[in-house]
Amino acid sequence: MGISLSKGQRISLEKASPGLKAAFVGLGWDVKKVDTDNDYDLDVSVFLLGENETLISDNHLIFYNNLKSPDPDHSVEHMGDNLTGEGEGDDEVVLVNFTKVPDDVTKLVFVVTIHEADKRQQNFGQIENAFVRLVDVQTKNEVLRYDLTEEYSIETALIIAEIYKKDGEWRMSAVGSGYQGGLQAILNRYYN
């Protein structure tokens, strides 16, 4: 069992797991038992930001229609869309090879949104047991975990965590910030 983070907490990946080269970031959630006629489709996106805290290019938004980062090594790779979220464990996974992330990428922002939330009248208040965890690819050990405990009754997009470079070292921050307006609200924040 890895280190459990609380909202706002930041930690050095080198201190949490010395020698960490690559990790998979697993995100998971459950749908509360609510009376709705629509399925829930949550989507994970990763924004690769530059020094100025904006999306480097359209190709630096990693999601179900753009699974690999544009660098030659594909240092960030989304492993595919889970349309139902059913089952135990990670619902969607993103692989990150820290040794190959290009120097112009200074922050990876992990976002979860609800597909067609407004049309389906859905929000994160209907989701429970949401988490993000970072697992060392080599050892398969969970290094860090952040369980969301807040009630997001009107939000349709969440910045769940950030992995960023500070003083040449990768760190992770448990964010847990909710937004109304779905993915567009996050795009508005990071698009230059």
Side-chain angles (χ1 to χ4, degrees):
M1 184 72 176
I3 299 167
S4 183
L5 298 178
S6 54
K7 183 174 179 171
Q9 190 173 359
R10 300 167 186 259
I11 190 163
S12 160
L13 297 184
E14 182 59 32
K15 288 180 183 160
S17 181
L20 179 71
K21 292 180 175 30
F24 79 75
V25 180
L27 299 99
W29 53 82
D30 294 319
V31 176
K32 290 180 182 176
K33 302 295 181 221
V34 292
D35 186 21
T36 177
D37 294 334
N38 295 309
D39 290 335
Y40 286 75
D41 179 10
L42 276 65
D43 297 314
V44 172
S45 305
V46 186
F47 287 69
L48 278 57
L49 306 181
E51 200 67 47
N52 60 357
E53 291 277 318
T54 59
L55 194 62
I56 295 171
S57 77
D58 290 348
N59 292 329
H60 286 81
L61 173 56
I62 310 306
F63 67 112
Y64 61 84
N65 273 341
N66 182 36
L67 296 174
K68 296 179 181 182
S69 58
D71 56 278
D73 293 311
H74 305 300
S75 59
V76 179
E77 184 176 356
H78 191 301
M79 301 310 294
D81 191 16
N82 178 334
L83 297 175
T84 65
E86 290 181 10
E88 294 296 312
D90 304 309
D91 291 312
E92 293 193 13
V93 172
V94 177
L95 292 174
V96 180
N97 186 331
F98 296 107
T99 65
K100 297 191 176 182
V101 174
D103 290 338
D104 63 338
V105 176
T106 59
K107 184 181 281 188
L108 289 75
V109 179
F110 291 82
V111 174
V112 181
T113 55
I114 302 173
H115 182 68
E116 296 182 337
D118 292 337
K119 179 179 168 185
R120 298 177 183 195
Q121 299 180 345
Q122 297 172 344
N123 59 59
F124 278 101
Q126 299 155 334
I127 303 300
E128 61 186 357
N129 303 324
F131 67 87
V132 59
R133 67 190 193 116
L134 187 136
V135 176
D136 186 323
V137 167
Q138 284 185 306
T139 65
K140 308 291 188 265
N141 291 332
E142 183 177 287
V143 177
L144 300 170
R145 182 182 184 96
Y146 169 43
D147 291 298
L148 275 79
T149 55
E150 285 187 46
E151 183 75 23
Y152 298 94
S153 59
I154 57 173
E155 291 83 354
T156 56
L158 286 175
I159 295 177
I160 196 164
E162 296 175 343
I163 297 176
Y164 61 97
K165 211 182 296 184
K166 183 176 180 186
D167 301 326
E169 182 177 90
W170 287 103
R171 298 169 183 251
M172 184 168 172
S173 174
V175 179
S177 292
Y179 290 79
Q180 295 179 42
L183 186 61
Q184 189 61 51
I186 312 290
L187 281 167
N188 293 345
R189 177 178 174 165
Y190 293 120
Y191 216 84
N192 54 8

